[in-house]
Amino acid sequence: MNIGLYIYLFFSKVAIKPWAGATMASIFCGWGPLLGLALPSVVQVCLEWWWYEIVLFLSGLLNSPESCVAAMGVLIQTTGTVYVFPFSLSLSISKRARAQLATIIGIFSGLCYGISAFGMRIALKTWWGKLYTSDPQVLSLVTAALPILGLAEIGNASQTAACGALTGSARPKVGVRINIAAFYLVVLPSSVLFAFKLKIGFQGLWLGLVAAQVSCLIMMLFTLAQTDWKHQAKRAEELTMVSGEKVEDAGTNLVP
């Protein structure tokens, strides 16, 4: 992929040539504002995946830890596969004009995808694990947890799309705060409570994820509902340093 991108940059007549007229001063100029947007955007995504790693360790504290860890690996791989679409949707929303309309359509598309993923996981729960293992105990855990994981996907797909709207409006730090609140102040205590205190076990870890995705989606929707889209359009003009006629075009295209 990287080699292909370099070839495109080199031979394309329309792509920006980053090496043209570059000096050491110009290379490192303006990194502060870029990192201020880039690092929170990275953390916004990583916070959720770090939760999966933490829960992977927690599953080793349950009864039959070998089977629980193995089943957790299967489910994390499944989640990663399903996550491709909402993450791509999030990226597309973050770069679209007519931001308000794009956000509404994106979140609705994510919701529809999440519901379809939920249905697929229920339909395929009895044989999905067989793609990975023939161990009956692992298969039993995967079968029991897949519907719960599918339920969480309804919120996950929608809130991932909403994250794209926050990133596109240069507010990734808001997404970071929401993900910290959802995954570390709600989901971790909930997962521990369900799995260990209420003795639900392996499924209890995933019930905590449902609570996280629901709370994350609610906070995302509340934040976007409070958004002044015309103000965000003006901010976008300032951040991209649009000038001349392009300023007027950007202002009319960013909001309906």
Side-chain angles (χ1 to χ4, degrees), residues 137-218:
Q137 193 168 8
V138 176
L139 290 175
S140 176
L141 292 170
V142 171
T143 300
L146 266 178
I148 302 174
L149 190 57
L151 185 61
E153 193 60 45
I154 296 176
N156 183 39
S158 302
Q159 66 92 358
T160 300
C163 280
L166 292 178
T167 301
S169 57
R171 293 179 292 169
K173 292 180 181 178
V174 176
V176 169
R177 289 195 289 268
I178 291 175
N179 280 342
I180 289 175
F183 286 94
Y184 296 90
L185 300 182
V186 175
V187 70
L188 274 181
S190 299
S191 294
V192 172
L193 175 66
F194 292 141
F196 299 101
K197 188 69 176 178
L198 300 181
K199 307 296 183 182
I200 299 177
F202 186 74
Q203 293 97 311
L205 294 176
W206 293 102
L207 284 173
L209 179 63
V210 176
Q213 298 293 8
V214 170
S215 60
C216 187
L217 178 59
I218 291 173

Side-chain angles (χ1 to χ4, degrees), residues 64-132:
S64 304
E66 295 88 354
S67 299
C68 288
V69 171
M72 187 66 70
V74 172
L75 293 171
I76 290 176
Q77 289 295 324
T78 304
T79 299
T81 302
V82 175
Y83 186 71
V84 170
F85 176 81
F87 183 63
S88 302
L89 184 62
S90 172
L91 293 177
S92 66
I93 292 174
S94 70
K95 297 170 177 63
R96 294 298 300 167
R98 298 181 63 83
Q100 186 177 17
L101 180 61
T103 298
I104 294 172
I105 294 175
I107 293 175
F108 179 75
S109 299
L111 179 62
C112 293
Y113 178 78
I115 293 173
S116 65
F118 177 45
M120 288 291 291
R121 291 186 186 190
I122 292 178
L124 305 177
K125 66 177 183 178
T126 56
W127 69 268
W128 181 259
K130 296 177 182 178
L131 296 174
Y132 298 87

Side-chain angles (χ1 to χ4, degrees), residues 51-62 69 72 196:
W51 176 86
Y52 287 105
E53 300 298 332
I54 293 171
V55 171
L56 181 63
F57 283 106
L58 290 176
S59 67
L61 302 177
L62 297 169
V69 171
M72 187 66 70
F196 299 101

